[in-house]
Tab-separated table of all heavy atoms in Angstrom:
chain	number	residue	atom	x	y	z
A	1358	LEU	N	0.830	-1.194	-0.013
A	1358	LEU	CA	0.020	0.022	-0.001
A	1358	LEU	C	0.863	1.250	0.007
A	1358	LEU	O	0.522	2.242	-0.702
A	1358	LEU	CB	-0.952	0.012	1.220
A	1358	LEU	CG	-2.077	-1.025	1.173
A	1358	LEU	CD1	-2.863	-0.953	2.464
A	1358	LEU	CD2	-3.000	-0.717	-0.018
A	1359	TYR	N	1.961	1.250	0.729
A	1359	TYR	CA	2.862	2.415	0.756
A	1359	TYR	C	3.438	2.674	-0.658
A	1359	TYR	O	3.432	3.774	-1.166
A	1359	TYR	CB	3.999	2.254	1.745
A	1359	TYR	CG	4.934	3.403	1.679
A	1359	TYR	CD1	4.624	4.649	2.232
A	1359	TYR	CD2	6.158	3.248	1.008
A	1359	TYR	CE1	5.514	5.721	2.082
A	1359	TYR	CE2	7.076	4.329	0.869
A	1359	TYR	CZ	6.732	5.544	1.436
A	1359	TYR	OH	7.571	6.604	1.307
A	1360	ILE	N	3.919	1.577	-1.305
A	1360	ILE	CA	4.501	1.731	-2.621
A	1360	ILE	C	3.484	2.286	-3.629
A	1360	ILE	O	3.799	3.155	-4.444
A	1360	ILE	CB	5.062	0.374	-3.131
A	1360	ILE	CG1	6.292	-0.026	-2.302
A	1360	ILE	CG2	5.443	0.489	-4.628
A	1360	ILE	CD1	7.488	0.886	-2.474
A	1361	LEU	N	2.258	1.810	-3.513
A	1361	LEU	CA	1.221	2.217	-4.483
A	1361	LEU	C	0.814	3.644	-4.245
A	1361	LEU	O	0.622	4.450	-5.186
A	1361	LEU	CB	0.001	1.307	-4.362
A	1361	LEU	CG	0.136	-0.108	-4.887
A	1361	LEU	CD1	-1.129	-0.888	-4.589
A	1361	LEU	CD2	0.404	-0.099	-6.388
A	1362	LEU	N	0.629	4.082	-3.000
A	1362	LEU	CA	0.060	5.373	-2.673
A	1362	LEU	C	1.122	6.411	-2.337
A	1362	LEU	O	0.748	7.584	-2.067
A	1362	LEU	CB	-0.912	5.277	-1.493
A	1362	LEU	CG	-2.059	4.274	-1.648
A	1362	LEU	CD1	-2.835	4.123	-0.372
A	1362	LEU	CD2	-2.930	4.657	-2.793
A	1363	ALA	N	2.404	6.082	-2.324
A	1363	ALA	CA	3.443	6.948	-1.786
A	1363	ALA	C	3.481	8.320	-2.442
A	1363	ALA	O	3.570	9.348	-1.798
A	1363	ALA	CB	4.808	6.271	-1.900
A	1364	ASP	N	3.343	8.363	-3.749
A	1364	ASP	CA	3.508	9.611	-4.533
A	1364	ASP	C	2.354	10.543	-4.365
A	1364	ASP	O	2.363	11.664	-4.915
A	1364	ASP	CB	3.785	9.336	-5.995
A	1364	ASP	CG	5.116	8.673	-6.214
A	1364	ASP	OD1	6.001	8.851	-5.362
A	1364	ASP	OD2	5.281	7.928	-7.207
A	1365	GLY	N	1.290	10.144	-3.677
A	1365	GLY	CA	0.170	11.035	-3.440
A	1365	GLY	C	0.018	11.433	-1.968
A	1365	GLY	O	-1.005	12.049	-1.616
A	1366	ILE	N	1.000	11.108	-1.142
A	1366	ILE	CA	0.893	11.451	0.286
A	1366	ILE	C	1.036	12.895	0.520
A	1366	ILE	O	0.203	13.564	1.230
A	1366	ILE	CB	1.945	10.629	1.047
A	1366	ILE	CG1	1.699	9.150	0.980
A	1366	ILE	CG2	1.941	11.094	2.545
A	1366	ILE	CD1	2.682	8.299	1.686
A	1367	PHE	N	2.033	13.521	-0.021
A	1367	PHE	CA	2.323	14.966	0.211
A	1367	PHE	C	2.180	15.760	-1.052
A	1367	PHE	O	3.115	16.375	-1.523
A	1367	PHE	CB	3.754	15.146	0.769
A	1367	PHE	CG	4.045	14.424	2.060
A	1367	PHE	CD1	4.898	13.292	2.059
A	1367	PHE	CD2	3.441	14.765	3.222
A	1367	PHE	CE1	5.134	12.607	3.238
A	1367	PHE	CE2	3.696	14.056	4.419
A	1367	PHE	CZ	4.540	12.979	4.395
A	1368	GLU	N	1.009	15.729	-1.699
A	1368	GLU	CA	0.717	16.467	-2.911
A	1368	GLU	C	1.775	16.199	-3.986
A	1368	GLU	O	2.550	17.047	-4.406
A	1368	GLU	CB	0.673	17.941	-2.620
A	1368	GLU	CG	-0.509	18.369	-1.726
A	1368	GLU	CD	-0.658	19.882	-1.613
A	1368	GLU	OE1	0.222	20.611	-2.132
A	1368	GLU	OE2	-1.647	20.333	-1.048
A	1369	GLY	N	1.811	14.937	-4.449
A	1369	GLY	CA	2.749	14.566	-5.465
A	1369	GLY	C	4.107	14.152	-4.978
A	1369	GLY	O	5.001	13.905	-5.781
A	1370	GLN	N	4.260	13.973	-3.671
A	1370	GLN	CA	5.559	13.649	-3.092
A	1370	GLN	C	5.396	12.478	-2.129
A	1370	GLN	O	4.496	12.485	-1.267
A	1370	GLN	CB	6.165	14.790	-2.352
A	1370	GLN	CG	6.650	15.983	-3.253
A	1370	GLN	CD	7.263	17.096	-2.440
A	1370	GLN	OE1	6.643	17.601	-1.551
A	1370	GLN	NE2	8.443	17.461	-2.849
A	1371	SER	N	6.258	11.508	-2.263
A	1371	SER	CA	6.424	10.477	-1.239
A	1371	SER	C	7.402	10.975	-0.172
A	1371	SER	O	7.916	12.101	-0.285
A	1371	SER	CB	6.934	9.164	-1.916
A	1371	SER	OG	8.247	9.436	-2.458
A	1372	ILE	N	7.697	10.124	0.785
A	1372	ILE	CA	8.685	10.545	1.792
A	1372	ILE	C	10.060	10.764	1.141
A	1372	ILE	O	10.720	11.764	1.379
A	1372	ILE	CB	8.797	9.456	2.885
A	1372	ILE	CG1	7.471	9.373	3.687
A	1372	ILE	CG2	9.939	9.750	3.833
A	1372	ILE	CD1	7.436	8.308	4.731
A	1373	GLY	N	10.453	9.847	0.236
A	1373	GLY	CA	11.717	10.033	-0.453
A	1373	GLY	C	11.736	11.230	-1.342
A	1373	GLY	O	12.724	11.974	-1.413
A	1374	LYS	N	10.675	11.436	-2.093
A	1374	LYS	CA	10.654	12.628	-3.010
A	1374	LYS	C	10.611	13.930	-2.194
A	1374	LYS	O	11.144	14.944	-2.697
A	1374	LYS	CB	9.421	12.529	-3.911
A	1374	LYS	CG	9.565	11.461	-5.010
A	1374	LYS	CD	8.355	11.434	-5.889
A	1374	LYS	CE	8.576	10.482	-7.102
A	1374	LYS	NZ	8.823	9.085	-6.650
A	1375	LYS	N	9.968	13.915	-1.062
A	1375	LYS	CA	9.974	15.135	-0.257
A	1375	LYS	C	11.369	15.464	0.284
A	1375	LYS	O	11.767	16.598	0.366
A	1375	LYS	CB	8.966	15.014	0.906
A	1375	LYS	CG	8.640	16.289	1.591
A	1375	LYS	CD	7.441	16.130	2.542
A	1375	LYS	CE	7.043	17.447	3.189
A	1375	LYS	NZ	6.514	18.388	2.159
A	1376	ILE	N	12.107	14.433	0.643
A	1376	ILE	CA	13.474	14.614	1.147
A	1376	ILE	C	14.359	15.176	0.085
A	1376	ILE	O	15.176	16.078	0.281
A	1376	ILE	CB	14.037	13.265	1.669
A	1376	ILE	CG1	13.283	12.807	2.911
A	1376	ILE	CG2	15.512	13.390	1.966
A	1376	ILE	CD1	13.645	11.453	3.433
A	1377	PHE	N	14.204	14.672	-1.189
A	1377	PHE	CA	15.083	15.091	-2.270
A	1377	PHE	C	14.541	16.199	-3.138
A	1377	PHE	O	15.119	16.596	-4.113
A	1377	PHE	CB	15.416	13.860	-3.174
A	1377	PHE	CG	16.398	12.931	-2.526
A	1377	PHE	CD1	15.954	11.922	-1.677
A	1377	PHE	CD2	17.722	13.053	-2.764
A	1377	PHE	CE1	16.838	11.053	-1.084
A	1377	PHE	CE2	18.651	12.140	-2.177
A	1377	PHE	CZ	18.212	11.170	-1.326
A	1378	GLY	N	13.354	16.732	-2.780
A	1378	GLY	CA	12.825	17.970	-3.430
A	1378	GLY	C	12.303	17.735	-4.817
A	1378	GLY	O	12.345	18.663	-5.643
A	1379	ILE	N	11.784	16.549	-5.098
A	1379	ILE	CA	11.205	16.330	-6.435
A	1379	ILE	C	9.703	16.010	-6.257
A	1379	ILE	O	9.255	15.735	-5.122
A	1379	ILE	CB	11.915	15.178	-7.220
A	1379	ILE	CG1	11.875	13.880	-6.412
A	1379	ILE	CG2	13.329	15.591	-7.495
A	1379	ILE	CD1	12.565	12.734	-7.164
A	1380	ARG	N	8.938	15.973	-7.357
A	1380	ARG	CA	7.502	15.851	-7.249
A	1380	ARG	C	6.958	15.181	-8.522
A	1380	ARG	O	7.495	15.287	-9.597
A	1380	ARG	CB	6.887	17.258	-7.095
A	1380	ARG	CG	5.359	17.314	-6.900
A	1380	ARG	CD	4.890	18.755	-6.860
A	1380	ARG	NE	5.536	19.504	-5.834
A	1380	ARG	CZ	5.094	19.581	-4.596
A	1380	ARG	NH1	3.994	18.931	-4.230
A	1380	ARG	NH2	5.713	20.332	-3.672
A	1381	VAL	N	5.835	14.477	-8.300
A	1381	VAL	CA	5.084	13.892	-9.427
A	1381	VAL	C	4.000	14.844	-9.866
A	1381	VAL	O	3.233	15.344	-8.993
A	1381	VAL	CB	4.454	12.532	-9.029
A	1381	VAL	CG1	3.563	11.994	-10.195
A	1381	VAL	CG2	5.553	11.488	-8.750
A	1382	VAL	N	3.891	15.131	-11.124
A	1382	VAL	CA	2.947	16.064	-11.681
A	1382	VAL	C	2.055	15.334	-12.670
A	1382	VAL	O	2.500	14.568	-13.520
A	1382	VAL	CB	3.578	17.283	-12.387
A	1382	VAL	CG1	2.567	18.140	-13.071
A	1382	VAL	CG2	4.424	18.080	-11.361
A	1383	HIS	N	0.702	15.518	-12.568
A	1383	HIS	CA	-0.222	14.993	-13.552
A	1383	HIS	C	-0.262	15.926	-14.708
A	1383	HIS	O	-0.745	17.094	-14.598
A	1383	HIS	CB	-1.617	14.866	-12.903
A	1383	HIS	CG	-2.612	14.202	-13.793
A	1383	HIS	ND1	-3.782	14.830	-14.154
A	1383	HIS	CD2	-2.647	13.015	-14.390
A	1383	HIS	CE1	-4.479	14.046	-14.955
A	1383	HIS	NE2	-3.779	12.905	-15.098
A	1384	LEU	N	0.215	15.532	-15.884
A	1384	LEU	CA	0.468	16.419	-16.984
A	1384	LEU	C	-0.777	17.056	-17.575
A	1384	LEU	O	-0.776	18.225	-17.922
A	1384	LEU	CB	1.271	15.690	-18.109
A	1384	LEU	CG	2.714	15.339	-17.689
A	1384	LEU	CD1	3.390	14.547	-18.801
A	1384	LEU	CD2	3.520	16.594	-17.390
A	1385	PRO	N	-1.884	16.282	-17.774
A	1385	PRO	CA	-3.087	16.939	-18.377
A	1385	PRO	C	-3.625	18.097	-17.573
A	1385	PRO	O	-4.149	19.073	-18.141
A	1385	PRO	CB	-4.086	15.801	-18.439
A	1385	PRO	CG	-3.264	14.545	-18.511
A	1385	PRO	CD	-2.067	14.849	-17.633
A	1386	THR	N	-3.483	18.069	-16.230
A	1386	THR	CA	-4.017	19.133	-15.374
A	1386	THR	C	-2.936	20.019	-14.792
A	1386	THR	O	-3.263	21.002	-14.167
A	1386	THR	CB	-4.844	18.498	-14.242
A	1386	THR	OG1	-3.989	17.612	-13.453
A	1386	THR	CG2	-6.025	17.705	-14.778
A	1387	ARG	N	-1.666	19.649	-15.008
A	1387	ARG	CA	-0.527	20.434	-14.422
A	1387	ARG	C	-0.674	20.524	-12.924
A	1387	ARG	O	-0.278	21.546	-12.325
A	1387	ARG	CB	-0.468	21.822	-15.032
A	1387	ARG	CG	-0.385	21.903	-16.540
A	1387	ARG	CD	0.933	21.375	-17.070
A	1387	ARG	NE	1.112	21.766	-18.477
A	1387	ARG	CZ	0.750	20.992	-19.506
A	1387	ARG	NH1	0.149	19.842	-19.300
A	1387	ARG	NH2	0.975	21.400	-20.738
A	1388	SER	N	-1.204	19.498	-12.278
A	1388	SER	CA	-1.397	19.519	-10.810
A	1388	SER	C	-0.564	18.434	-10.189
A	1388	SER	O	-0.178	17.450	-10.843
A	1388	SER	CB	-2.888	19.293	-10.523
A	1388	SER	OG	-3.345	18.062	-11.001
A	1389	PRO	N	-0.282	18.572	-8.854
A	1389	PRO	CA	0.462	17.512	-8.174
A	1389	PRO	C	-0.285	16.152	-8.272
A	1389	PRO	O	-1.516	16.088	-8.306
A	1389	PRO	CB	0.499	18.005	-6.716
A	1389	PRO	CG	0.265	19.495	-6.807
A	1389	PRO	CD	-0.592	19.719	-7.968
A	1390	GLY	N	0.506	15.088	-8.301
A	1390	GLY	CA	-0.036	13.758	-8.415
A	1390	GLY	C	-0.938	13.411	-7.256
A	1390	GLY	O	-0.652	13.733	-6.119
A	1391	ARG	N	-2.043	12.722	-7.535
A	1391	ARG	CA	-2.949	12.255	-6.470
A	1391	ARG	C	-2.703	10.798	-6.216
A	1391	ARG	O	-1.872	10.171	-6.822
A	1391	ARG	CB	-4.385	12.483	-6.942
A	1391	ARG	CG	-4.759	13.927	-7.283
A	1391	ARG	CD	-6.042	13.987	-8.102
A	1391	ARG	NE	-5.895	13.249	-9.364
A	1391	ARG	CZ	-6.858	13.077	-10.229
A	1391	ARG	NH1	-8.067	13.524	-9.976
A	1391	ARG	NH2	-6.648	12.403	-11.343
A	1392	LYS	N	-3.414	10.249	-5.242
A	1392	LYS	CA	-3.232	8.845	-4.911
A	1392	LYS	C	-3.599	7.941	-6.067
A	1392	LYS	O	-2.998	6.895	-6.239
A	1392	LYS	CB	-4.052	8.519	-3.647
A	1392	LYS	CG	-3.498	9.180	-2.363
A	1392	LYS	CD	-4.313	8.826	-1.181
A	1392	LYS	CE	-3.734	9.440	0.108
A	1392	LYS	NZ	-3.730	10.885	0.077
A	1393	ARG	N	-4.577	8.330	-6.831
A	1393	ARG	CA	-4.969	7.518	-8.009
A	1393	ARG	C	-3.794	7.511	-9.025
A	1393	ARG	O	-3.459	6.479	-9.548
A	1393	ARG	CB	-6.232	8.094	-8.688
A	1393	ARG	CG	-6.564	7.486	-9.991
A	1393	ARG	CD	-7.745	8.172	-10.641
A	1393	ARG	NE	-8.042	7.628	-11.975
A	1393	ARG	CZ	-7.433	8.033	-13.087
A	1393	ARG	NH1	-6.497	8.966	-13.002
A	1393	ARG	NH2	-7.760	7.472	-14.228
A	1394	ASP	N	-3.183	8.680	-9.260
A	1394	ASP	CA	-2.041	8.748	-10.180
A	1394	ASP	C	-0.913	7.928	-9.667
A	1394	ASP	O	-0.185	7.252	-10.395
A	1394	ASP	CB	-1.618	10.209	-10.384
A	1394	ASP	CG	-2.792	11.092	-10.812
A	1394	ASP	OD1	-3.609	10.632	-11.639
A	1394	ASP	OD2	-2.847	12.235	-10.352
A	1395	SER	N	-0.661	8.006	-8.337
A	1395	SER	CA	0.421	7.262	-7.708
A	1395	SER	C	0.199	5.750	-7.877
A	1395	SER	O	1.164	4.990	-8.120
A	1395	SER	CB	0.542	7.607	-6.220
A	1395	SER	OG	1.523	6.874	-5.578
A	1396	THR	N	-1.057	5.327	-7.679
A	1396	THR	CA	-1.344	3.896	-7.808
A	1396	THR	C	-1.064	3.391	-9.217
A	1396	THR	O	-0.484	2.314	-9.411
A	1396	THR	CB	-2.807	3.608	-7.447
A	1396	THR	OG1	-3.035	4.068	-6.101
A	1396	THR	CG2	-3.144	2.163	-7.541
A	1397	LEU	N	-1.458	4.174	-10.216
A	1397	LEU	CA	-1.243	3.767	-11.625
A	1397	LEU	C	0.241	3.720	-11.951
A	1397	LEU	O	0.711	2.739	-12.630
A	1397	LEU	CB	-1.968	4.710	-12.564
A	1397	LEU	CG	-3.472	4.630	-12.602
A	1397	LEU	CD1	-4.048	5.768	-13.483
A	1397	LEU	CD2	-3.944	3.290	-13.109
A	1398	ARG	N	0.999	4.764	-11.548
A	1398	ARG	CA	2.370	4.783	-11.947
A	1398	ARG	C	3.275	3.832	-11.176
A	1398	ARG	O	4.295	3.427	-11.636
A	1398	ARG	CB	2.910	6.218	-11.880
A	1398	ARG	CG	3.216	6.720	-10.453
A	1398	ARG	CD	3.745	8.164	-10.529
A	1398	ARG	NE	4.909	8.245	-11.320
A	1398	ARG	CZ	6.188	8.126	-10.872
A	1398	ARG	NH1	6.379	7.795	-9.564
A	1398	ARG	NH2	7.216	8.235	-11.654
A	1399	ASN	N	2.859	3.426	-9.981
A	1399	ASN	CA	3.668	2.563	-9.155
A	1399	ASN	C	3.223	1.116	-9.174
A	1399	ASN	O	3.799	0.273	-8.476
A	1399	ASN	CB	3.724	3.048	-7.705
A	1399	ASN	CG	4.494	4.371	-7.573
A	1399	ASN	OD1	5.456	4.553	-8.258
A	1399	ASN	ND2	4.082	5.228	-6.679
A	1400	ALA	N	2.146	0.821	-9.909
A	1400	ALA	CA	1.640	-0.548	-9.992
A	1400	ALA	C	2.730	-1.546	-10.423
A	1400	ALA	O	2.864	-2.659	-9.845
A	1400	ALA	CB	0.469	-0.634	-10.889
A	1401	PRO	N	3.564	-1.241	-11.455
A	1401	PRO	CA	4.623	-2.213	-11.830
A	1401	PRO	C	5.594	-2.455	-10.722
A	1401	PRO	O	6.105	-3.587	-10.565
A	1401	PRO	CB	5.270	-1.541	-13.056
A	1401	PRO	CG	4.256	-0.591	-13.560
A	1401	PRO	CD	3.511	-0.069	-12.360
A	1402	LEU	N	5.882	-1.448	-9.917
A	1402	LEU	CA	6.904	-1.568	-8.853
A	1402	LEU	C	6.359	-2.387	-7.674
A	1402	LEU	O	7.130	-2.986	-6.909
A	1402	LEU	CB	7.358	-0.206	-8.392
A	1402	LEU	CG	7.922	0.709	-9.421
A	1402	LEU	CD1	8.346	2.054	-8.846
A	1402	LEU	CD2	9.104	0.043	-10.158
A	1403	ALA	N	5.013	-2.403	-7.486
A	1403	ALA	CA	4.402	-3.172	-6.393
A	1403	ALA	C	4.217	-4.604	-6.711
A	1403	ALA	O	3.981	-5.412	-5.846
A	1403	ALA	CB	3.086	-2.525	-5.994
A	1404	LEU	N	4.341	-4.993	-8.018
A	1404	LEU	CA	4.093	-6.353	-8.390
A	1404	LEU	C	5.086	-7.335	-7.741
A	1404	LEU	O	4.657	-8.403	-7.286
A	1404	LEU	CB	4.184	-6.462	-9.924
A	1404	LEU	CG	3.958	-7.855	-10.499
A	1404	LEU	CD1	2.599	-8.386	-10.129
A	1404	LEU	CD2	4.091	-7.838	-12.041
A	1405	PRO	N	6.405	-7.052	-7.656
A	1405	PRO	CA	7.278	-8.000	-6.932
A	1405	PRO	C	6.870	-8.278	-5.524
A	1405	PRO	O	7.058	-9.413	-5.002
A	1405	PRO	CB	8.656	-7.299	-7.048
A	1405	PRO	CG	8.541	-6.415	-8.246
A	1405	PRO	CD	7.182	-5.937	-8.273
């Protein structure tokens, strides 16, 4: 659950991304990534 939802915890930032100052952006809306966006983009990484 953390891997899937991480990038939507802090408005497009996981704990690691917040530490390193980077962010996930949803391109069609130019807005910070949400939990839905985080789940879609991290689904391959959660499979293992």
Side-chain angles (χ1 to χ4, degrees):
L1358 288 177
Y1359 174 77
I1360 292 295
L1361 288 175
L1362 304 175
D1364 293 333
I1366 295 177
F1367 303 109
E1368 294 187 353
Q1370 290 180 307
S1371 62
I1372 293 176
K1374 287 182 174 61
K1375 194 170 185 63
I1376 293 173
F1377 285 87
I1379 59 179
R1380 184 184 302 273
V1381 173
V1382 174
H1383 184 239
L1384 293 176
T1386 59
R1387 307 290 195 267
S1388 61
R1391 302 163 298 176
K1392 291 181 176 61
R1393 173 184 175 276
D1394 307 321
S1395 177
T1396 301
L1397 287 175
R1398 74 180 303 270
N1399 290 325
L1402 304 180
L1404 181 59

